[in-house]
Amino acid sequence: MASNYLKILTELGLASAVLALLVLLLRLPLRRYAGAEIAYRAWLILPLAMLAVLLPHRAYQDSFKPLVIPVAQLTGVVQAIELPAGRNWSGLILLLWASGSFFMLARFVVQHRRFLHDLGELTRHEDFYLARSTNAGPALTGLLRTRIVVPGDFFQRYTVEEQVLIIAHEKIHRHRGDLLANTLFALLQCLFWFNPIVHFAVRYFRFDQELACDARVIVQHPQARRTYAEAMLKTQLYFTPSAIACHWQSQHPLKERIMHLRQTRPSLLQRASAYLLLLTVGGLSAYSAWAATPVSQVGTDAASGQVKQTVQADSYMVATSITVGGKTSSPRIVVKQGREASFAIKMDEQQSNWDFSFSLKTPATGNDKESVMVTMEVKKDGVVIARPNLLVALDQAAKVRQQTPEHQNDFDVSLTASLLKKGDKF
């Protein structure tokens, strides 16, 4: 079980790193061509493609008829199995992973509580709140109950025109759901706390978020560029960060934000073509992330040919990795206890053909519920070359390897068996 969770987390971690790098490469060209709002939307590629990793994709195959695998599709074959001498480290690694995630989450919670504390007592004023502190805000906080918070000297520091623009900026954050986006990115940081790419990407994500808000404010108030820039210069940059709240942080390049206000809005054609590009890249990224995950193969009944959706008797999901003749295959097979599963490896015309069959059953003593007996038979060109019988621990990889002086009958197999009980769906 721990190894399965670890495998999923590893796949998601790899996907998050690759996708974050992709968005970091796209953001500047997109911003220059189609504006800051579309560049900010490019970050949607990250969560959508990661969700695609979790989508099931199954290849249905007959668990009980011999499988014939052409050499062109070969990615693995079976070997003589030996129980691993070392312990399974999956549980320990998962525990360390969870500990780091909990520590990062606790850090974010402490930072956010300090952020709220520094705001001080809030006083309601129309549709926003005045903070007690004059060094806090403007900001948007409260995931479930959003509040626009402005500094205590808001009416003294800013002109009426500047006040309107600042409130409009925070309302755009609220309307667009940026608090939820910040929360999801913070959870991503917690989950992959060890990945520097994720922490590096969050800074640019937040900056693109602010630029997109600035661009929307200018669209709503096209004659207020100078006034908006003056409001930015008067704003106290907030030094206590929050991973969730929307606030003007000290690391935001203020000069770049002001310079960006001078840009004109891209044409409809530019925006449409940029959205088409994002749709294409996002779709390809999601499909690539989904296709890169291992196929979960589901068995069918040999007699009826129908896909089995529920286990009718105690069965095993067997994940294999088989190497023979310089080729590797990794089929997954569902096999009933005591029934034989077999498949053949079709090599090139000049090479031999291999046949592998195995059956699994509980140990004869019946006391060991954490292991299974594997009876295998390996044939080359119809001649039996190995019949290993092994006691294999459940959910742990066991390996079988045969090496001969002439290397003519060499094969290498890794096998992991997981128990599927009656009534389980797969």
Side-chain angles (χ1 to χ4, degrees), residues 88-255:
N88 184 6
W89 294 98
S90 298
L92 179 59
I93 295 174
L94 197 62
L95 178 62
L96 292 175
W97 195 320
S99 299
S101 298
F102 179 80
F103 175 81
M104 182 64 68
L105 179 62
R107 178 188 170 194
F108 284 157
V109 170
V110 170
Q111 285 181 341
H112 188 68
R113 289 176 64 88
R114 187 180 302 164
F115 169 80
L116 296 177
H117 178 268
D118 289 347
L119 292 178
E121 183 181 353
L122 302 180
T123 304
R124 179 73 180 267
H125 191 281
E126 296 180 357
D127 56 349
F128 58 89
Y129 290 80
L130 281 174
R132 184 183 185 88
S133 172
T134 59
N135 296 322
L140 181 70
T141 185
L143 183 60
L144 299 179
R145 185 185 174 189
T146 58
R147 294 181 178 184
I148 296 174
V149 181
V150 296
D153 60 350
F154 181 67
F155 297 108
Q156 293 76 34
R157 187 189 306 183
Y158 302 102
T159 66
V160 175
E161 293 79 8
E162 291 168 351
Q163 294 170 20
V164 171
L165 295 173
I166 288 173
I167 297 301
H169 178 99
E170 300 305 328
K171 284 183 176 179
I172 291 169
H173 275 309
R174 180 168 61 188
H175 176 74
R176 207 169 49 189
D178 287 341
L179 286 174
L180 177 60
N182 293 346
T183 302
L184 292 177
F185 217 117
L187 292 176
L188 190 67
Q189 287 181 274
C190 293
L191 191 59
F192 304 111
W193 51 270
F194 54 86
N195 189 341
I197 297 176
V198 174
H199 299 293
F200 178 76
V202 70
R203 175 180 177 181
Y204 293 96
F205 164 76
R206 296 294 291 264
F207 183 45
D208 288 344
Q209 185 181 91
E210 294 301 321
L211 287 182
C213 264
D214 295 342
R216 175 53 55 180
V217 170
I218 296 304
V219 169
Q220 295 176 356
H221 305 272
Q223 306 303 321
R225 298 176 192 271
R226 182 179 180 84
T227 304
Y228 192 49
E230 291 174 350
M232 285 184 181
L233 292 172
K234 292 180 182 179
T235 299
Q236 172 69 38
L237 295 178
Y238 205 89
F239 286 92
T240 301
S242 170
I244 299 175
C246 298
H247 55 82
W248 295 10
Q249 303 178 45
S250 58
Q251 65 262 37
H252 283 170
L254 187 57
K255 180 179 178 181

Side-chain angles (χ1 to χ4, degrees), residues 329-381:
S329 175
S330 303
R332 289 193 177 195
I333 302 174
V334 175
V335 57
K336 288 183 180 179
Q337 183 175 185
R339 296 286 297 272
E340 184 179 88
S342 62
F343 52 94
I345 305 299
K346 284 281 191 179
M347 308 299 288
D348 297 334
E349 293 182 0
Q350 295 81 5
Q351 296 179 291
S352 302
N353 295 323
W354 294 74
D355 295 279
F356 297 86
S357 61
F358 62 88
S359 62
L360 297 88
K361 61 181 180 179
T362 56
T365 59
N367 296 325
D368 191 351
K369 298 182 179 180
E370 301 299 325
S371 60
V372 62
M373 286 296 302
V374 179
T375 301
M376 299 184 63
E377 184 175 81
V378 182
K379 294 181 180 180
K380 180 181 178 183
D381 291 332

Side-chain angles (χ1 to χ4, degrees), residues 52-53 57 285-295:
V53 173
H57 61 122
S285 300
Y287 177 77
S288 300
W290 173 80
T293 56
V295 176

Side-chain angles (χ1 to χ4, degrees), residues 33-98:
Y33 177 72
E37 293 182 85
I38 294 179
Y40 176 55
R41 288 188 173 91
W43 289 100
L44 284 172
I45 293 175
L46 186 57
L48 293 178
M50 289 184 66
L51 285 175
V53 173
L54 300 177
L55 292 177
H57 61 122
R58 297 174 174 178
Y60 296 97
Q61 66 179 40
D62 188 348
S63 299
F64 312 115
K65 284 184 176 180
L67 302 175
V68 179
I69 306 175
V71 69
Q73 300 177 359
L74 199 58
T75 51
V77 189
V78 193
Q79 63 172 201
I81 305 174
E82 53 193 38
L83 276 174
R87 60 175 298 180
N88 184 6
W89 294 98
S90 298
L92 179 59
I93 295 174
L94 197 62
L95 178 62
L96 292 175
W97 195 320

